[in-house]
Amino acid sequence: MPQTIGVPRETWPGEKRVATVPEVVQKLVKLGFRVAVESGAGDAANFSDDAYRAAGAEIINGAGALWNGSDIVFKVRGPSASEVNLLRTGGTLVSFIWPAQNPDLMQSLAAKKATVLAMDSVPRISRAQKLDALSSMANIGGYRAVIEAAHHFGRFFTGQITAAGKVPPAKVFVIGAGVAGLAAIGTAAGLGAIVRANDTRPEVADQIKSLGGEYIPVEYTEEGSGVGGYAKVMSEGFQKAQRAVFEQQAKDVDIIITTALIPGRPAPKLITAEMVRSMKPGSVIVDMAAEQGGNCELTEPGQVVVQHGVTIIGYADLPSRLAKQASTLYATNLFRLAEELCKTKDGVINVNMEDEVLRGTTVIKEGTVTWPPPAPKLSAAPPAAAKPAAMPAKAGGHGKPGAPASAKSTAIVFAVGVVVFCLIGVNSPPAFLTHLTVFALACFVGYMVVWNVTPALHTPLMSVTNAISSIIAIGALVQIAPPGDAARPEELIRWLAVAAIVLTSINMLGGFAVTQRMLAMFRK
């Protein structure tokens, strides 16, 4: 019997997002599920009850009826104590949970014999990217952080020269170049600001530059990548060098956007009160880590405060401030999870703990706490090729394995080749030697320009392979319709020529199509 997915109204103060949208409801119904939505759940995100009905959802009045009638509950924020009580015993909950920060919530859900999948625990592996709600929300948060900074900043972001005077461009410093940081860099650069950024992982420097930012390094060598691509806690020596860089930037820039978070830990304090005092009056700090305590010592979570002439924005609901967009992306992440849970498309989920993605996402299974999950399996390294056994030294040789062939051996091989070639020439048609020579040269040229080139350069070779294909096509056409009074080829040769034309045409068409797609990547 198909299971029912329930979508309640979010009760967290100020939360405007909803866990599914009408467009995704249609897809969930096609997977075999029944979908129930609490009346008014999507109002704050501009999704009406009528839109949900039209998509195939049932509208339920009251949170109690919604929770009690749902086998699976999709939520954005973790449930409150009253919502845990409403959850059906043995039911399934999918939402943000943050198990490391909420041990009491974990125990309450385990007591209900629930199965809980945490969207903040989706493993950072390639196959799970479509479920990565953290990245979806961080992308929106980074964009919105720049918009909030622009709203509180007293000037244009872009520089202007007008009849009334010159306006310098704003200087923006982004701390952390994860998904949120990169979104902020791209948005600020698009508005015309001078953007600088820092991250503990030096490998993101190219990404920062590609978005129009300048990478500001810390002159201290230490690896900053943690498990799953997140940042890790750095040494005291690195932190001291980092503070010196931040102090210098704080005096020069107009806007600081902080995004630094370490999974399972409070947000590191990167912007001190002294740095805030050194900033120019009218400057802005957007602390995207405010919900976890903040990267700035003077941040007040959920509030906008002015300290020493600097506006410090500590909103904990940046994605919720773009509720329609955030709801759509989050609902898509949940739908992709539903596809993994219901591969049979019969409306019944199967939490397969042998699946690496589902195992990492599941924090409670039927009342048993399964968090933290085992470390993601890394792709096995290819086995080392067995070393060939050393050839025994031949009598009369130098006695060294791998020694180059002697001049006598080379002369014998060459002589045998000449004899074989002469025998073929004497007993073959006159035109055969010409064709054989062309074939040998073609094999050599093809090996040198295509096969012998590293795979990383195969795509730029598309024009070369198209040229070779054109030569093959011309040769095949000559075989099909020989010029002048030349004898018509045998039937087998004609059909081989036809096949050559068909295959080379496909290769040429594919080459031009791939080239066109490559060129399109560089167009805006």
Side-chain angles (χ1 to χ4, degrees):
M1 182 177 179
Q3 293 179 310
T4 299
I5 296 176
V7 181
R9 181 201 294 262
E10 295 296 322
T11 59
W12 187 273
E15 181 58 69
K16 299 178 181 179
R17 290 172 292 179
V18 62
T20 198
V21 299
E23 178 185 352
V24 173
V25 167
Q26 295 176 338
K27 298 177 182 179
L28 291 172
V29 171
K30 288 181 180 179
L31 278 180
F33 295 104
R34 295 194 300 264
V35 181
V37 179
E38 184 181 352
S39 179
D43 287 350
N46 296 315
F47 296 110
S48 66
D49 290 350
D50 291 339
Y52 283 111
R53 282 195 191 94
E58 180 184 3
I59 302 300
I60 305 295
N61 291 316
L66 186 283
W67 282 81
N68 292 330
S70 301
D71 304 292
I72 309 156
V73 175
F74 281 1
K75 270 184 58 61
V76 179
R77 297 273 186 171
S80 62
S82 59
E83 288 175 321
V84 172
N85 293 331
L86 293 176
L87 179 64
R88 178 188 295 183
T89 301
T92 300
L93 173 67
V94 184
S95 73
F96 285 107
I97 298 295
W98 305 106
Q101 290 93 327
N102 297 297
D104 293 340
L105 173 61
M106 292 283 288
Q107 293 303 319
S108 299
L109 291 169
K112 297 283 289 188
K113 304 296 181 184
T115 296
V116 181
L117 290 90
M119 295 305 291
D120 48 88
S121 298
V122 173
R124 286 289 180 94
I125 59 177
S126 298
R127 191 166 68 86
Q129 287 182 352
K130 60 186 178 181
L131 318 178
D132 193 355
L134 281 178
S135 293
S136 299
M137 298 302 102
N139 183 31
I140 295 174
Y143 173 87
R144 183 68 189 197
V146 176
I147 301 303
E148 294 292 342
H151 175 68
H152 289 87
F153 187 51
R155 294 204 324 262
F156 299 131
F157 264 43
T158 185
Q160 291 189 9
I161 298 177
T162 69
K166 180 180 179 181
V167 179
K171 295 178 182 179
V172 179
F173 182 51
V174 180
I175 299 176
V179 176
L182 292 174
I185 292 167
T187 305
L191 290 174
I194 297 173
V195 185
R196 304 165 186 165
N198 170 268
D199 195 280
T200 58
R201 300 159 296 178
E203 61 267 21
V204 303
D206 289 339
Q207 299 178 46
I208 293 170
K209 294 174 184 176
S210 70
L211 290 170
E214 176 189 358
Y215 177 63
I216 304 297
V218 174
E219 300 300 332
Y220 191 98
T221 303
E222 181 176 349
E223 174 58 44
S225 297
V227 177
Y230 294 99
K232 69 172 186 178
V233 178
M234 307 301 286
S235 68
E236 181 59 36
F238 181 92
Q239 293 179 32
K240 183 178 179 180
Q242 187 183 56
R243 281 193 293 271
V245 172
F246 292 172
E247 287 172 0
Q248 180 182 0
Q249 292 299 318
K251 295 174 183 178
D252 185 47
V253 301
D254 303 297
I255 295 168
I256 296 177
I257 297 175
T258 69
T259 70
L261 283 173
I262 298 171
R265 293 175 177 267
K269 299 299 181 183
L270 303 176
I271 304 298
T272 64
E274 188 60 36
M275 294 181 195
V276 176
R277 291 191 193 95
S278 71
M279 296 182 72
K280 292 174 284 189
S283 298
V284 178
I285 296 175
V286 183
D287 194 340
M288 293 187 64
E291 191 169 1
Q292 304 302 327
N295 295 136
C296 177
E297 288 183 347
L298 302 180
T299 296
E300 295 185 17
Q303 304 295 323
V304 177
V305 297
V306 179
Q307 299 281 1
H308 310 294
V310 178
T311 302
I312 304 173
I313 302 172
Y315 291 144
D317 61 347
L318 288 173
S320 181
R321 290 170 179 265
L322 289 172
K324 187 166 188 175
Q325 183 68 74
S327 298
T328 300
L329 293 182
Y330 182 66
T332 301
N333 293 139
L334 292 181
F335 168 68
R336 296 303 181 189
L337 176 62
E339 285 184 318
E340 295 293 321
L341 291 167
C342 183
K343 294 184 177 180
T344 55
K345 298 184 179 181
D346 59 356
V348 178
I349 65 170
N350 174 29
V351 184
N352 179 14
M353 298 298 273
E354 298 298 320
D355 186 302
E356 187 175 11
V357 173
L358 297 181
R359 174 63 186 88
T361 307
T362 305
V363 295
I364 300 176
K365 177 69 182 296
E366 297 174 355
T368 302
V369 176
T370 59
W371 186 87
K377 297 177 183 177
L378 300 177
S379 300
K387 295 182 179 179
M391 294 294 292
K394 294 184 179 180
H398 297 288
K400 295 179 181 179
S406 65
K408 182 179 178 180
S409 301
T410 304
I412 292 174
V413 172
F414 183 76
V416 171
V418 170
V419 172
V420 172
F421 190 77
C422 290
L423 289 174
I424 293 175
V426 170
N427 298 285
S428 300
F432 180 77
L433 286 179
T434 302
H435 291 310
L436 181 62
T437 303
V438 172
F439 176 75
L441 290 174
C443 290
F444 175 75
V445 172
Y447 174 80
M448 295 304 295
V449 302
V450 178
W451 193 262
N452 198 35
V453 176
T454 177
L457 298 177
H458 277 178
T459 303
L461 278 173
M462 202 62 68
S463 59
V464 177
T465 56
N466 273 347
I468 296 173
S469 299
S470 301
I471 295 172
I472 296 172
I474 293 172
L477 289 172
V478 171
Q479 290 294 335
I480 292 175
D485 298 330
R488 294 180 61 82
E490 296 181 5
E491 198 68 20
L492 176 60
I493 295 177
R494 291 180 61 193
W495 283 110
L496 287 175
V498 170
I501 292 174
V502 172
L503 293 175
T504 54
S505 299
I506 294 172
N507 186 51
M508 292 166 63
L509 180 62
F512 284 118
V514 171
T515 302
Q516 184 65 24
R517 291 182 63 182
M518 288 178 60
L519 293 174
M521 293 170 61
F522 297 95
R523 298 193 186 106
K524 290 187 177 180

